[in-house]
């Protein structure tokens, strides 16, 4: 009797995936996610932790003014090696908290898939279609690994950092045309280097950008060395001393190959509308619904009770008095205070107002309560429920079943373009003409015979 080899099955899928296997609407959604990611990557310009990692990448490159690498570091307008470009771009695209998220796996795919895929594609002269197929492979693998690792994993580990190494290896491995055996070796090397812990939130530390930088570059390295013959653990995911054994108490191996080739998890991925942790978005949308429908002002509100899933409490609970803009994006109270005052929690609102007296006063009147319905629906559905207590004694309730950006309440292509332009304008990472040109290239990526530079190189 033969035993099913799930890691091998997943690796074979990633290795053999062809454009003809992927539905047209999934390829189109991959383009949407690529443009959305590009905006987030440009938004990283000027962020201190991102600039530190980017400078490190440039310093480690060993390139001269007349001889640089083939892959683009977007916010630096410099070229470097694929490894270092993947590292820098992955750090940049995760800091604004505007990159995409897959609900069921609680995983941000774009920030660990597109940076290594783009870096490799530019280095080997891959086509736009090759890039998209590789991205689909990365999404399908990474999301399934995240679902496999389960809720217990996410309580301590940042899934984007852990599952992200495998996702990056799958995407780059597909571009390098790894055979199934080589792809499995790449998974083994990537998985043994998986890392990322939530403890950084308690200190407002910079680790979140390190998680994505490490996952993207490590996954890329794992694919390249597999091509050269380097071997990795054959059961890195489900083995007795593999990822799940060390990082999960509720892993479900069946999730690794769930409807592989027929259920396209990339199409389930959500865009982020507010510039904050996704756990805050359902409640933010529910509060906005109540305020608009009842024409409320912040001064009308005594307190807000958010009814949430346990994951929100685990991640957001430690952040009670945020010290930095980035930490404030993990404060439920701060996000709802910005919503109450500005009807939007965007980059400018956080940057200019997260520590205003009025925002802090409102923040401290927001609580989180575990709700059985919301918790049982999570992570497949992220329901937003709030109770809004008014000065006149009234209690108003709000509910949102699909936050803005979810597949059933998604962003249009014009909204995605506007979002990317807005992110670039905030960071100054590219001017409007440069952004329009790059976005036009990305919307037409399937026509590109060879991926070139997206931004002028100075």
């Amino acid at each position: 009797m033969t035993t099913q080899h799930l890691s091998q099955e997943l690796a074979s899928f990633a290795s053999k995936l062809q454009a003809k296997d992927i539905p047209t609407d999934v390829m189109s959604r991959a383009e949407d996610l690529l443009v959305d990611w590009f905006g987030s990557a440009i938004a990283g310009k000027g962020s201190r932790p991102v600039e530190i990692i980017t400078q490190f990448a440039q310093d480690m490159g060993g390139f001269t003014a007349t001889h640089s690498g083939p892959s683009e570091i977007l916010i630096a307008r410099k070229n470097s090696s694929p490894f270092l470009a993947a590292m820098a771009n992955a750090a940049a695209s995760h800091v604004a908290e505007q990159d995409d998220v897959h609900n069921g796996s609680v995983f941000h795919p774009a920030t660990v898939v597109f940076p290594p895929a783009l870096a490799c594609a530019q280095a080997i002269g891959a086509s736009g279609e090759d890039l998209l197929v590789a991205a689909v492979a990365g999404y399908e693998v990474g999301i399934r690994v995240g679902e496999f690792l389960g809720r217990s994993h996410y309580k301590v580990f940042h899934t984007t950092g852990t599952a992200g190494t495998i996702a990056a290896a799958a995407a780059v491995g597909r571009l390098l045309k790894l055979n199934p055996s080589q792809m499995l070796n790449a998974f083994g090397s990537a998985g043994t280097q998986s890392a990322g812990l939530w403890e950084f939130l308690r200190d407002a530390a910079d680790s979140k950008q390190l998680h994505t930088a490490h996952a993207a570059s490590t996954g890329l390295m794992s694919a390249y060395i597999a091509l050269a013959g380097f071997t990795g653990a054959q059961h890195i995911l489900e083995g007795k001393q593999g990822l799940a054994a060390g990082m999960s108490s509720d892993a479900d191996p069946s999730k690794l190959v769930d409807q592989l080739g027929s259920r396209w998890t990339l199409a389930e991925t959500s865009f982020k509308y507010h510039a904050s942790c996704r756990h805050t978005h359902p409640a933010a949308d529910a509060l906005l619904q109540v305020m608009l429908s009842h024409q409320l002002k912040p001064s009308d509100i005594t307190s807000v009770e958010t009814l949430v899933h346990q994951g929100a409490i685990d991640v957001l609970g430690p952040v009670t008095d945020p010290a930095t803009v980035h930490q404030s994006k993990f404060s439920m109270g701060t996000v709802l205070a910005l919503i109450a005052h500005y009807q939007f929690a965007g980059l400018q609102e956080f940057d200019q107002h997260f520590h205003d007296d009025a925002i802090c006063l409102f923040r401290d009147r927001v609580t989180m309560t575990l709700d059985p319905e919301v918790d049982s629906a999570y992570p497949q559905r992220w329901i937003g429920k709030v109770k809004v207590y008014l000065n006149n004694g009234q209690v108003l309730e709000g509910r949102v079943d699909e936050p803005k950006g979810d597949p059933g309440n998604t962003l249009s292509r014009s909204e995605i373009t506007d979002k990317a332009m807005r992110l670039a304008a905030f960071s100054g990472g590219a001017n409007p003409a440069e952004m329009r040109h790059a976005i036009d290239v990305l919307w037409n990526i399937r026509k590109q015979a060879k991926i070139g530079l997206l931004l002028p190189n100075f």
Side-chain angles (χ1 to χ4, degrees):
M1 186 173 119
T2 58
T3 303
Q4 188 177 18
H5 189 168
L6 299 176
S7 292
Q8 180 67 78
E9 192 172 337
L10 192 60
S12 294
F13 168 82
S15 169
K16 296 176 181 178
L17 186 65
Q18 302 291 326
K20 63 181 176 58
D21 303 325
I22 304 170
T24 302
D25 62 328
V26 175
M27 288 288 273
S28 294
R29 179 49 65 98
E31 291 172 346
D32 296 349
L33 294 165
L34 173 59
V35 174
D36 188 69
W37 165 77
F38 179 71
S40 283
I42 302 304
K45 177 72 174 176
S47 166
R48 182 187 53 77
V50 171
E51 294 289 353
I52 290 172
I53 290 174
T54 299
Q55 189 59 54
F56 168 80
Q58 291 177 253
D59 292 344
M60 293 297 107
F63 298 113
T64 67
T66 56
H67 176 70
S68 64
S71 304
E72 190 174 11
I73 297 179
L74 291 167
I75 65 168
R77 306 296 180 90
K78 303 290 185 185
N79 282 16
S80 189
S81 68
F83 180 83
L84 295 170
M87 176 188 293
N89 291 336
S93 54
H94 201 46
V95 72
E97 294 296 333
Q98 292 267 255
D99 49 316
D100 64 14
V101 61
H102 180 267
N103 289 348
S105 55
V106 202
F107 170 60
H108 300 279
T111 193
V112 290
V113 169
F114 286 119
L118 177 64
C120 176
Q122 289 176 328
I124 67 175
S127 70
E129 182 175 86
D130 290 338
L131 175 64
L132 290 182
V133 172
V136 173
Y139 270 71
E140 298 304 316
V141 167
I143 288 168
R144 284 179 171 82
V145 172
E147 291 181 331
F148 154 71
L149 290 170
R151 293 180 65 167
S152 66
H153 176 80
Y154 187 78
K155 193 177 182 72
V156 176
F157 292 95
H158 182 199
T159 306
T160 304
T162 55
T165 59
I166 315 291
V172 176
R174 178 62 192 80
L175 280 165
L176 295 177
K177 297 180 170 55
L178 299 187
N179 64 38
S181 177
Q182 292 170 323
M183 187 71 83
L184 183 61
N185 284 326
F187 284 11
S189 292
T192 203
Q193 300 177 84
S194 293
L197 297 161
W198 282 118
E199 183 63 23
F200 74 90
L201 277 175
R202 299 175 188 274
D203 309 307
D206 298 330
S207 308
K208 201 162 189 269
Q209 282 64 65
L210 184 62
H211 293 175
T212 55
H214 174 262
S217 56
T218 293
L220 179 142
M221 178 183 75
S222 298
Y224 270 86
I225 62 177
L227 181 65
F230 197 92
T231 62
Q234 300 295 286
H235 294 269
I236 194 64
L237 301 172
E238 75 280 27
K240 289 183 179 180
Q241 292 176 295
L243 237 64
M247 294 181 170
S248 176
S249 61
D250 64 344
D252 181 355
S254 69
K255 297 287 189 183
L256 289 172
V257 293
D258 176 39
Q259 302 171 71
L260 202 55
S262 60
R263 172 202 172 205
W264 297 95
T265 60
L266 179 146
E268 302 167 2
T269 305
S270 300
F271 299 99
K272 289 177 75 174
Y273 185 61
H274 305 294
S276 59
C277 174
R278 184 64 171 178
H279 291 299
T280 66
H281 290 209
D285 285 359
L287 175 62
L288 184 59
Q289 176 197 84
V290 171
M291 294 195 70
L292 292 177
S293 60
H294 294 275
Q295 297 185 316
L296 298 177
K297 302 186 296 294
S299 58
D300 296 326
I301 298 172
T302 303
S303 62
V304 179
E305 180 185 9
T306 64
L307 307 173
V308 300
H309 50 262
Q310 185 62 45
I313 294 172
D314 292 340
V315 173
L316 307 177
V319 184
T320 55
D321 184 16
T324 66
V325 170
H326 190 258
Q327 192 184 32
S328 74
K329 296 179 178 189
F330 292 81
S331 161
M332 180 70 87
T334 300
V335 175
L336 266 59
L338 293 174
I339 291 292
H341 285 79
Y342 303 104
Q343 300 185 4
F344 184 59
L347 295 180
Q348 296 228 20
E349 287 74 19
F350 277 104
D351 190 55
Q352 297 174 12
H353 302 295
F354 91 93
H355 218 255
D356 288 356
D357 289 344
I359 297 300
C360 292
L361 186 65
F362 196 103
R363 176 197 73 197
D364 294 339
R365 290 182 282 150
V366 175
T367 58
M368 290 187 290
T369 301
L370 182 65
D371 182 86
E373 181 199 11
V374 175
D375 192 56
S376 63
Y378 173 83
Q380 280 68 36
R381 295 171 60 217
W382 295 40
I383 299 170
K385 292 167 69 175
V386 296
K387 292 181 180 178
V388 182
Y389 297 84
L390 304 184
N391 295 327
N392 64 10
Q394 272 187 289
V395 181
L396 303 175
E397 297 189 7
R399 179 187 179 110
V400 170
D401 285 286
E402 288 187 289
K404 178 74 169 173
D406 267 8
N409 187 16
T410 194
L411 302 185
S412 67
R413 286 201 161 185
S414 63
E415 287 177 313
I416 294 168
T417 296
D418 290 346
K419 174 184 168 184
M421 296 294 292
R422 192 167 62 243
L423 290 172
F426 177 83
S427 70
N431 66 43
E434 292 169 339
M435 283 298 289
R436 281 192 291 269
H437 171 76
I439 289 171
D440 183 61
V441 169
L442 295 175
W443 281 135
N444 293 281
I445 195 73
R446 272 184 274 185
K447 299 177 183 176
Q448 301 293 318
K450 182 178 178 180
I451 305 281
L453 299 183
L454 297 177
L455 291 171
N457 211 315
F458 300 130

